[in-house]
Amino acid sequence: MGMMKKSRIKSPWLLHYDGSSCNGCDIEVLACLTPVYDVERFGIINTGNPKHADILLITGGVNQRAARVVRNLYEQMPHPKVVVAVGACACSGGIFHDCYNMLGGIDKVIPVDVYVPGCAARPEAIIDGVVQALGLLAEKTNKEAAV
Amino acid sequence: MITGKQLVSAAIWLPAAAALLCYLWRSYKGRNLVVWASGVVLAACSIGLYLTGPFNYQPGEIAGLSWNTVISTADFALLALILLIGIKRRHILIIMLALFQAALLIYFDAVLGGGELEPGPAFVIDHLSIIMALVINIVGSLICIYGVKYIGEHEDQHSGQTSATSWLSSHSGSRQPRFMFWLVIFLGAMNGLVFADNLYWMYFFWEVTTFCSFQLIGHDLSEEAIANACRALWINSLGGTAFALALVVLVRYGGGDYLSIQYLLIHGAGPGMTMIMLATALLVLAGMTKSAQLPFQSWLLGAMVAPTPVSALLHSSTMVKAGVYLILRLAPVYIGTYLSDIIAIAGGFTFLVTSILAVSQSNAKRVLAYSTIANLGLIIACAGINTPAAISAAIILIIFHAVSKGLLFLCTGFVEHRIGSRNIEDMEGLADRMPLTTIIFTVGIISMFLPPFGMLVGKWAALEAAAHLPLAALFMVMGSAVTALFWIKWLGRMLEGNPGEVQSGLEPMAINYKASLIGLAAGAVLLGILVIPLIRSLVMPAVSQYYSSPGLNTAAQSIVIGNSGLFAVWPWFVLLLIIMVSARLLYDPKKTKSAPVYLCGENSSSTSYTSTGEQSIQPALSSYYFDGFLGEARWTPTVNSLAVLIIMVLLGVTVL
Amino acid sequence: MKLDAIQVNSGDLLPAVKKYLDEGYRLVTITCVDEGEKIRLLYSFDLELSLANLELSLAREEAAPSISCVSPGAFLVENEIKELFGVRIDDISLDLGGRLYMVPGAKEAPMARSAPVAGKGEK
Amino acid sequence: MVPITLTVLKNLTSRPRTRMYPLEERQVPDGSRGQIEFDMSKCIFCTLCAKRCPTDAISVDRKGKILDFDPYRCIVCEFCLEGCAKDAIYLLPQWRTPVTEKQIAGYRTPAAQESNQNLNVYSDVPG
Amino acid sequence: MNELLIASLVIMAAPFLGGLLSGLDRVISARMQGRVGPPVLQPFYDVLKLLGKESLAANRRQVTWVLAYLGLIMASLVLFSLGGDLLIIVFTMAFAAIAFVLGGFSVKSPYSHIGSQRELLQMLAYEPVLILLAVGLYLQNGSFLVRDLINQGQPLLTSLPLVFIALLIILTIKMRKSPFDLSTSHHGHQELVKGITTEYSGPALALIEITHWYELVLVLGLVAMFWTSPWWIGIILAFLAFFLELIIDNCCARLTWNYMLKFTWGSGLALCLINLGWILARGKGGF
Amino acid sequence: MAGITAPFGPQHPVLPEPIHLNITYEDETVVSLAPALGYVHRGLEKLAERKEFTQNIFILERVCGICSFMHAMTYCMGIEELMGIEISPRSKYLRVFYSEISRIHSHLLWLGLFADAFGFENLFMQYWAIREKIVDLMEMTGGQRVILSSCAIGGIRRDLNTDQVTAARNILHEVEEELGRINPVIMNDYTVKQRTVGKGILSKADAVAYGMVGPVLRASGVAQDLRQEGYAAYGELGFEPVVEQDGDCYARALVRVREVYQAIELARQALNYLPEGETAVKVKGNPQGETIQRVEQPRGEVFYYIKANGSKILERIRIRTPTFAHIPGLLKMLPGCSMADVPVILLSIDPCISCTER
């Protein structure tokens, strides 16, 4: 089983969804894919499909309508999966935490594994967060129970 | 021991007797019994014929009259009937064509004394006619068994909505016996046509099949059915006229014994015989109208109004095959001439154009009709190429097309009764509602054009033969690419199921349906597996009878690789079996969670999504029909005029 | 610092808007200001960078006519005002029925002056 | 087609311009807004920064002399830094490292710190 | 008996070769974009990870058709390596592609449905050229068998140059590279999400990936067939074609399906016909 | 023929931000569509009516991450007009410099996403590699890579020292030189033209009727750019709007490409004629009255309406962002195009959904 665990770390496929973000953090996530930061070195691909993804990377807080979408995406991802919340809004709702339409951080809707702070979290911080998430991914099994 | 002669007369007379019995026997059970019995006997007859091998048969007198006079009187009676129908339906074309044919026949009998000619044995049963007999009797009887049950259900469903003017509601008693009468008698007519060597007799059976088709298409008696029946009648009578003209030309310029096909095959070829070649061209033209080739395809599409067994029996497996049988029978006559190339191009052109038109159809039966015309075009193209390999390809295509297309028509009929519509879009998710039918449909469609099944061997041989005629090769190549498009588009629509819907076992099927559907499906698979023995026993003798080499070399170079195209088939079916079994092992519903469909994250349930204004919407799917580019309305006029041009060239080239 | 806006009542709002649009003006937006007892709707138009404003003041329950029949782009902002401020604007060309932003269960007219300020989140 | 092919071939032959992040860290310019830190020796708990913070990330308990700072709500806007009378708040260019558990950073005066050893007392974020 | 040996050898070796090739493909594409790119063994890690994931599937049909896709591509590769009949190989590849399409169709999901329709259109585009390739081989060598190619004197490329160019045109479609990666593509941002593979996940997706490796080896084998006298020139030819596809992939935008149909039928078929006509005219065929 | 009804949903690989279009296709041509927004609506106008007017800058900077500086600048100009503050010439020029840098940054970002929409992944990588240089420049000068919070009421929070100015000039020169190599691709590459020319056409009359703004309006032939009003230091720098005539996706791409060159030129001029003096003016008291401010954002004209009643808390802030004006135009362009063009047309208006829904 060692090879399986190792391959899980070496080829994490990532689904990026923008909850209710101001697209500052989204640009930084996309910047990670570009030549200057190039996360494909770690085998990370940005698949647009929850069914292919291992890591759910969410930027921005969650408003009432986005909560439903975030929950759907999380449920559609096959196990083992991890959730990375990128940016102050994703961690705790940030500057918008007491707007009338905001529920707050991502942990209000789905269990979050890694929090990446920063208002417009830097690509390096995001890479750190994803690398940390890989450690958690290896431990999880593909059964429903050990979520 | 039953001699060959008794088998032939049985093959022709038994269906007539059975039809009469069906007509008289009012109860369904009785008719069912008769059809089953006659089906079994007919099949036995054809197998018997196969065992006895080729022989000639000249029937003796009956009640003092020679058969010829009986045939000619029956002919005139038939023409009178057609004339009557023309007048009753006030259809000028039918009247004119019937009169013209009558005139030709009178000229033929009176002036040339054709009626009394005895150019040779009336019936010559050689390998080709045995193959045709096998197809007609086995596939035909299965379809009749299906038809008995189908027409019963058809009547219950239609008695409610048939339009007021239909004769049905006004006339007391159901029309099932009448339907079965024409359906079963048709088998006899086809057997007769296939055995006949005397062209005049063949002409009689030719007219009988046209009349049967008219009666069966008009079964529902709605305006649409009657209009289409009339159209079918006048186009086929056009073919009949060409046939009669050919008879006159043959006797007038060639002398009496040209009436026998065997004589024609031996003496007909050669440069000097322009008039004989013109007659052959006319016969080919008659064949083309019968198999609804390009300019004449409208009647077959109209005939789709008829109940499905009619479409299956007449308009795909047997009747339209008569035209192709005639063209194939005459192939040695026009071997090597320009006529042969033109026929190849006409066939290829039809194959390509009708395949493309089939893409834009959403009515299942019209797709099947277009695909039938396409495959007939392919067979005619092979006949046109006229090399031993091409002829064997044509025969293989005839056998497999009859089985697979019949199967598909019957499946469509059965589905139509269950879901009440013929539109492909309404067949969405059939795999979950009717799993057994979908499996049979899959076998049918796969056997139409994919490797392990026979049709592909035919197509392979056709391509190999067409290599010397680039234009025909181009038509075939593009046509076969397009066939994949419309078949899989349709099958795909049937397979589309919602996740998580557990199949609750196979759907109920009446014994008649089971027998015919599963019988034909098993037939398709069996013929696929036994394709090489089939070729050795049936096709090669038929080809080597008239051509120098047997065409296909069935010796296998290695386990997997056959010689020049013929491949050992059994590894294929082993592979398909392995795939089925491993799929069952790998996927066990308990372990695999059924995932909701990907709907951009907005799933409100496993199949629907929340859209504008927070309403939950089901995604609607529909296949592509390219109505803009390939629409029937846009293409048919141009295509028909091109085809008429080809026909002109076809006739013209013989004369020049 | 006052804005130079032409006062209009709901009757002749539509012809005024039509006049501006025919002169080649472009509708910039509709601003809704909730002053407790009355609501002011400010229609601003722009032609070669110069701004022209129409102002319509309504009582709390009074309905405003929709101008989306004249200016096709106005339906989105009218839907927003209807949903967030609770102002009744009837027969908008593409009416999302108060579901543009908010989920069915959410509070009605969250931006109105009377609405409580704190949102769903903690403190 | 031509211009892009030249670029493609040039890229293929030249060194990729990726910053190999985990192996070599790039030198972040000093003015860059990384994370906010509190120098408790200068802080007089005057709650000025708590009032100015647009995201209410800082809460000061004057009597208990505790300053609670939620690093996951702070948007690093330096507004508290500009308003602090005693310049007790300073800016580090280095970005804050991601964590798996959110904690509130509780700061105390240096004197109070001797009593419990660790400088930053972390407690779980309510809710 | 050696046939069985060759067959099992090919079935074992081909995925590794295919995996390496697609790994190489991702590294070279990355370097062309000025990026470092993943390690060359990345495709193997991807497939191993996918095999380890929880298997989600809508119904059994989906898995059956994927297995059919894998089995049939393996069959055509075995037939090709044993020197079987090229026309049957082409038709088996068609059956494999159809199995893949039916797999895509077997779930009522909009993106997988549209992806499958587009895959059918792609088949419509490249099928005629492949069949004409087989017919060309027949005209040149007198038989469809690939094994008869080996003892032919002059290589196929000299007599079928235009057919080779047509094959390169449709190679873009078979390798799912832009400008014709319409039904599904490795590029992240495809307007059909993942097209035909949208509804697959975990082990089923791993099978599809492995089948793509087999298909890659088979298609490059077809290219290598054009120069068999010293066989290693064929291999070089295949690599050159592979590299050319990578360059085209990185230098073109994705085009629409009607452009693809017009382009492949317009230029691909025309080239083949000119070539076949030239062979026929050159003395009633080579044999 | 029943068509295909499919969601072009909130989560889609081509969409940078969540917007939902419920599209009905028939044989791959769009027949009808209905939008659904609300995935990013946070309700920050209400939040701004609770915080103090000085804290609002940081809220309004985060309306949209890409054009954050211009939101803050418009708000500050509004408050300065209400309080009658006159900002120093140096901060005017610095505001022009920062605006033009974030315009270059926004347009390069858009060009990358636009290339990715029609499947040209390589071009996406090239444009974003160049953009990294601009982002480094922003981090060096403004302090943040994306949310450039360096604007305050009364001027600029951080001054540029001399070596920062020279570094900025080098970076601008490098960017201009690299763009010279990449722009010809999007301008005359055959496959790109095949996918963009003649798609999503908006005539001049429609553009005005639907209330289009910015590059989309200028691509349809209306020469209107708010920088002609000469706010901040644009009056002294001399400025001509960039106009195209045929109003399709290709024209919009061309307008934005030429605007990048123009922005580099303006930023360089702002640096060359940077006057001396301090950058921030002390601010006393509270704003009073109401005002409308309009500024040219990378996506178009942003419209701020501010009403203050003399207290620390403002009474009403109304923001109408450019993408809000573009959405009705988008719904006019999309019907009739083919399925493959939907992402191209959708991205051709450079949608910034977080701007639209505030």
Side-chain angles (χ1 to χ4, degrees), chain F residues 50-270:
Chain F
R50 189 166 71 81
K51 302 271 180 182
E52 288 165 16
F53 76 94
T54 48
Q55 291 174 325
N56 279 345
I57 296 177
F58 302 108
I59 295 173
L60 294 172
E61 259 171 4
R62 286 162 178 79
V63 163
C64 154
I66 310 170
C67 38
S68 79
F69 180 78
M70 298 185 187
H71 277 290
M73 184 167 80
T74 328
Y75 174 73
C76 297
M77 282 158 61
I79 300 291
E80 281 146 16
E81 189 183 325
L82 286 184
M83 295 165 74
I85 303 167
E86 184 50 36
I87 60 172
S88 70
R90 183 175 177 86
S91 53
K92 278 197 172 134
Y93 273 83
L94 278 178
R95 281 190 178 173
V96 166
F97 170 72
Y98 281 125
S99 307
E100 290 315 313
I101 289 185
S102 47
R103 193 185 312 281
I104 299 168
H105 153 70
S106 162
H107 280 335
L108 289 184
L109 178 143
W110 174 78
L111 280 167
L113 285 180
F114 189 58
D116 208 20
F118 48 75
F120 207 150
E121 203 184 24
N122 192 3
L123 209 54
F124 163 70
M125 296 296 179
Q126 305 303 329
Y127 271 115
W128 279 60
I130 302 170
R131 183 189 147 269
E132 280 301 318
K133 289 192 169 61
I134 293 285
V135 170
D136 289 349
L137 172 63
M138 286 161 91
E139 184 169 29
M140 186 177 60
T141 54
Q144 280 266 27
R145 274 169 59 89
V146 176
I147 310 274
L148 196 68
S149 53
S150 62
C151 183
I153 300 172
I156 296 288
R157 286 169 80 177
R158 287 197 177 173
D159 197 352
L160 286 187
N161 50 39
T162 47
D163 57 11
Q164 277 176 334
V165 168
T166 44
R169 270 204 204 96
N170 302 344
I171 287 182
L172 284 175
H173 176 68
E174 263 169 51
V175 165
E176 187 165 32
E177 185 265 335
E178 277 207 34
L179 277 181
R181 202 161 33 77
I182 290 295
N183 276 343
V185 173
I186 202 145
M187 281 204 278
N188 38 40
D189 180 282
Y190 174 72
T191 51
V192 170
K193 278 193 161 169
Q194 196 69 27
R195 283 299 301 274
T196 50
V197 172
K199 299 289 194 297
I201 290 176
L202 205 60
S203 66
K204 186 170 182 175
D206 278 349
V208 172
Y210 277 84
M212 291 294 113
V213 285
V216 179
L217 190 64
R218 289 196 287 277
S220 300
V222 177
Q224 182 177 341
D225 190 326
L226 275 163
R227 286 175 282 179
Q228 288 164 310
E229 266 182 350
Y231 60 86
Y234 284 105
E236 292 104 30
L237 294 181
F239 165 78
E240 272 311 310
V242 163
V243 186
E244 284 291 330
Q245 293 309 331
D246 33 19
D248 55 3
C249 292
Y250 182 68
R252 290 181 206 120
L254 226 56
V255 163
R256 291 193 175 102
V257 164
R258 285 166 55 197
E259 268 187 11
V260 169
Y261 284 123
Q262 187 186 46
I264 293 175
E265 199 38 48
L266 280 171
R268 196 172 283 136
Q269 275 177 20

Side-chain angles (χ1 to χ4, degrees), chain A residues 22 28 48 65 98 100-101, chain F residues 11 37 41-42 50 65 145:
Chain A
C22 74
E28 295 299 66
R65 183 167 277 181
D98 57 6
Y100 59 80
N101 200 17
Chain F
Q11 191 274 328
L37 301 168
H41 178 62
R42 298 150 288 194
R50 189 166 71 81
R145 274 169 59 89

Side-chain angles (χ1 to χ4, degrees), chain C residues 32-97:
Chain C
C32 169
V33 185
D34 182 348
E35 284 164 353
E37 76 295 338
K38 82 175 169 68
I39 291 173
R40 287 170 53 221
L41 286 178
L42 195 66
Y43 296 77
S44 3
F45 298 86
D46 164 278
L47 182 66
E48 275 99 23
L49 303 179
S50 69
L51 207 60
N53 298 317
L54 290 172
E55 186 168 333
L56 169 71
S57 53
L58 301 161
R60 170 75 39 205
E61 321 72 23
E62 203 185 329
S66 152
I67 65 165
S68 55
C69 44
V70 175
S71 139
F75 80 88
L76 198 65
V77 69
E78 284 176 343
N79 266 310
E80 182 190 282
I81 291 172
K82 180 172 172 183
E83 183 173 4
L84 297 185
F85 287 89
V87 172
R88 226 162 31 82
I89 304 178
D90 26 33
D91 57 54
I92 305 172
S93 62
L94 172 65
D95 194 337
L96 296 171

